[in-house]
Amino acid sequence: MATATTELLRERVQGDVITPGDEGYDEARAVYNAMIDRRPRVVVRCRSADDVIAAVNFARENDLDLAVRGGSHSVPGFGTCDDGVVIDLSGMRGVRVDPAGSTARAEGGATWGDFNDATHAHGLATTGGIISTTGVGGLTLGGGIGYLSRGFGLSCDNLVSAEVVTADGRLVAASENENEDLFWAIRGGGGNFGVVTSLEFQLHPVKDIYGGPMFFELKDAATVLRLFREFIKDAPEQFGGFPAWQIAPPLPFIPEDRHGDTFLAFVTCWTGPLEEGEAIMKPLRDIAPVAAEHVGPMPYPALNSAFDGLVPPGLQHYWKANFVTELTDEAIAAHLEHGPNVPVVNSTMHLYPINGACHRVAPDATAFAYRDATFATVIAGMWPDPSETEANIGWVRDYYEATAPHSEAGGYVNFMAGDDQGRIEANYKGNYARLVDVKRKFDPDNLFHVNQNIRP
Ligand SMILES: Cc1cc2nc3c(=O)[nH]c(=O)nc-3n(C[C@H](O)[C@H](O)[C@H](O)COP(=O)(O)OP(=O)(O)OC[C@H]3O[C@@H](n4cnc5c(N)ncnc54)[C@H](O)[C@@H]3O)c2cc1C
């Protein structure tokens, strides 16, 4: 590709166009997962949908690989590529709230921190992830599991409409009334169908919540996991939360002599009346002595950013995931065998409940197919020191192998590693064939293939 073509791109877009040798190239090519070290031919820091159109056309016309990046959290590093084009949406983070209509529209590069700060000012929220730096776009397009999903459904269930730049460089609307097939596919099908430049969400009255983490001793972990399995079946839907293996970080609410010890943590979030929170948590708190806790009333965005410090950019990441329909005693035994061996403070396993409002959406109503799953497991290796790579990847793989026989064939696309491309069809079960049809219609040449790819 001639330099002249890149120069043409510079003329066509408002945002920065960064190529090898430019100042800031190394910063522009870096993604969140430090294991990913790729050298794109050009990074386009888009400022508008027009910039996105220009970058999509440029990649297609020059037959280059195209990666799309919002919050940059993709563990397989789908937000970058070697020798191709990166569309970086981090300059498009605006969020506009319509309090009267209880909706909010976010630009394609907004993070959940941006979103929650804007909606919280109006006492409103929607289902998002548990970390504030994750992108609204990537998380929602894959489904979106979080504290509020039992009450309000997945993030994608709250998507009202979106604007999408398709592979042929058109900006189209997607909703229940326009391009319904595209709207169906982007609610779970990931970044396969185009670049989403804005997303409009339904909001719900959520301002302050009652919640936070409780730490239980390992000797009580079996009892806590079994109680969680039963409790979460019919706990009020304003309760969200999940168990997690956690090496105690040096935080003030944890006794100093326990820093570095491993616990089964239980992270909780109650969005009902604050004064009811303590009673709702009682069955959990009473099951075993709580070694440390930081549970109480707090603004929803405070819980959403409470664990950001455990997952700063620049860690190495390797994750595996599964859906679980029935959390059997055998499955719990596998968790108990591997979970306590978690190698470093950042690594963990989360077991997210999928029920309540998530189950009230039919499996074929959106691309997210596993509406009959009751849990989504993610075994997340996250470590700062490259010398710990073997230990962490080994832990993730051993843990995954032990739990896989007690899980479904598919997993949540957003929690999967780059080596899980062979499981795409299983992730979408009965919806896969329809996803392929929509892909053929909107991206027949697979321009958007740097993702958990649905092949046309
Ligand atoms: C620390 C951490 C915490 C997480 N917590 C949760 C959680 O609580 N719940 C949950 O469900 N998931 C969670 N995830 C997983 C998360 O949903 C995925 O990693 C998701 O892909 C991140 O989106 P992003 O925009 O930040 O990432 P990016 O790397 O920017 O994007 C990932 C991929 O999504 C697609 N994409 C992103 N934005 C757009 C867009 N605007 N248009 C088209 N395609 C786009 C592209 O294919 C891109 O390659 C977490 C991940 C991390 C690393």
Side-chain angles (χ1 to χ4, degrees), residues 31-32 67-80 89 107-110 112 128-131 133-147 155 190-199 311 317 319 350 352 382 412-415 448 450-452:
V31 290
Y32 179 78
V68 180
R69 188 195 305 163
S72 185
H73 273 198
S74 164
V75 166
F78 291 141
T80 186
L89 299 170
E107 286 189 289
W112 285 105
I130 64 148
I131 298 291
T133 51
T134 306
V136 171
L139 182 137
T140 303
L141 298 178
I145 301 169
Y147 294 115
S155 305
N192 274 283
F193 305 94
V195 186
V196 178
T197 52
S198 83
L199 306 95
V311 286
H317 288 254
W319 297 19
H350 291 175
Y352 293 99
M382 310 187 267
Y412 173 40
V413 278
N414 275 350
F415 287 161
F448 299 106
V450 183
N451 45 40
Q452 298 286 5

